[in-house]
Each structure stands twice: as structure tokens, then as C-alpha cells.
Amino acid sequence: MATLPVYPWHLAPDGLATRRQLRALGLRPGGQDVAAQLERPRRRRGPLVAYLYRVDRARPVRPMTPGRAAALAAAMLARRTCPTCRTDVGYCIPRSLGMCVPCHDLPQS
């Protein structure tokens, strides 16, 4: 069983990138295994770990289809709709409140 190469934070070699860096390039890992990892030390806990993928094996991001766009729009509408007053409030309802801010601030009768 082979172990992954470990690099210190900010010292990864060229040709390796994290998922976010791949996404910024318009790429995705595409099913490849993790090639290496970065470790950032912390004082009182274990190190932060970021997995690295090979850029040359990465694939382009899949294009947004009309069905996926419709599903995403429906999901965002559900997050913006208050369950109490049933209106689209224009922002995502805070999960801590469970309803829009005006409904939450109304005095309970």
C-alpha cells in the first residue's frame, strides 16, 4: 500500500491543485485518486489537510443543462420561501429562525 506524498502549506509542486483551484480553472478531478496532500500545522489541534489532484488528468466541468438549471432554481426558491407567510422574501431563510425575519419578529398571540 503506497502512502501519499505530504507537502507543507504553500509548497506544493506545479501540476497539482486542490478541488477549488481546479474549479477556478474550469476543471474537476474526474474520478482520479488523490495524488498528494498539503498539511498546515495548527497550535492545539491536528493539522489542516488539503488533498491535491493532478491537473493533467483533470476533466472539464460538465455544462449546466436546462434540467439541472431548473432543479437549482426550484431549490433556491424553496430556500427563499417563508413557511409561515408563504412569500418569496428575496433571501435565504435563516435555518436558526425557520421563517423570515418579519414573521419571527411578530409578537406571538
Side-chain angles (χ1 to χ4, degrees):
M1 180 172 146
T3 60
L4 291 176
V6 178
Y7 298 103
W9 205 251
H10 294 295
L11 295 177
D14 292 336
L16 296 178
T18 63
R19 281 182 180 269
R20 286 188 180 190
Q21 291 168 337
L22 287 176
R23 187 64 181 210
L25 297 172
L27 301 171
R28 62 186 168 95
Q32 66 174 301
D33 292 332
V34 175
Q37 68 182 26
L38 288 175
E39 285 192 356
R40 178 179 170 214
R42 296 191 288 183
R43 292 178 192 252
R44 293 183 178 92
R45 293 181 282 175
L48 287 175
V49 175
Y51 296 113
L52 300 172
Y53 300 91
R54 292 182 48 176
V55 176
D56 59 345
R57 289 188 182 177
R59 295 183 182 167
V61 174
R62 294 182 185 130
M64 182 67 76
T65 63
R68 288 175 62 194
L72 180 61
M76 291 306 295
L77 178 64
R79 289 184 66 191
R80 292 190 315 261
T81 303
C82 176
T84 306
C85 61
R86 296 283 181 204
T87 58
D88 181 357
V89 292
Y91 56 88
C92 290
I93 304 292
R95 292 180 61 189
S96 60
L97 300 180
M99 60 185 74
C100 66
V101 175
C103 289
H104 182 265
D105 290 343
L106 285 176
Q108 301 294 326
S109 50

